[in-house]
Amino acid sequence: MKHRLLCASAALISLSLPEIAFAQDMNPIDYCRENSDGKKERIACLEDALRGFLGETESVAATPTQEPSEQPAEQLAEAPDEPTGLGAEQVIARNKTIAEVEEKHRESDVVATLSDFAITRSGTYVFFLDNGQIWRQKPADSNRIRLSKKRDYTVKVSKGTLSGYRLEIEALRRSLLVERIK
């Protein structure tokens, strides 16, 4: 009964409004009959045509003729990873630029072992790295940490997002704003 109702609706739509253009310039019944393998697909196709006529944006996707794992690799590879349409080239260029900047940051990071440290009168730290670099915690940094002379610490110094440098102590999972002394 539902199938007959949909076919009748599609026929009325196609007869009453012949100016409706479908993908292959045919009426919806012929289009759905030729492009659908089974009853369920044909019903879904006719429902989509009826929804299009009524101006509804929701669409019932026709069930694929093949299982997703049986679909050709070309169709699976065409996942919309990159944006398309108007302005897509700007998004692609911006994403490439961001990726390049992040790659430069990763390349410029310094990973070293903390050979020694000292605490100043104001309570900020001075870090001596095994590669000869000396870094000092900035007075503006409000992070307070406790380090032990008995432990070995691995640190990573990286450029900050806007400016300055951050020293991350991996064992503590904390980072400090620092400036290089030597």
Side-chain angles (χ1 to χ4, degrees), residues 59-130:
S59 174
V60 175
T63 52
T65 57
Q66 300 172 337
E67 292 297 318
S69 60
E70 296 175 0
Q71 290 181 350
E74 299 166 3
Q75 290 177 353
L76 294 175
E78 292 179 15
D81 289 343
E82 292 194 13
T84 58
L86 185 64
E89 71 280 354
Q90 292 176 344
V91 175
I92 293 169
R94 186 179 315 112
N95 289 342
K96 286 182 181 177
T97 304
I98 291 170
E100 290 170 359
V101 168
E102 288 175 351
E103 183 64 30
K104 286 179 184 176
H105 281 294
R106 274 186 250 122
E107 290 175 359
S108 64
D109 291 351
V110 174
V111 178
T113 304
L114 193 62
S115 60
D116 197 13
F117 63 89
I119 302 174
T120 63
R121 288 185 201 171
S122 62
T124 60
Y125 279 86
V126 177
F127 301 99
F128 300 91
L129 306 183
D130 64 349

Side-chain angles (χ1 to χ4, degrees), residues 114 116-128 134-139 141 143-149 153 167 169 172 176-179 181:
L114 193 62
D116 197 13
F117 63 89
I119 302 174
T120 63
R121 288 185 201 171
S122 62
T124 60
Y125 279 86
V126 177
F127 301 99
F128 300 91
I134 301 173
W135 294 82
R136 174 178 55 201
Q137 182 181 10
K138 285 187 162 187
D141 185 28
N143 289 323
R144 298 293 171 227
I145 58 171
R146 286 190 178 176
L147 298 176
S148 171
K149 296 267 186 186
Y153 297 99
L167 182 134
I169 303 170
L172 302 177
L176 307 167
L177 292 173
V178 292
E179 58 188 353
I181 299 173

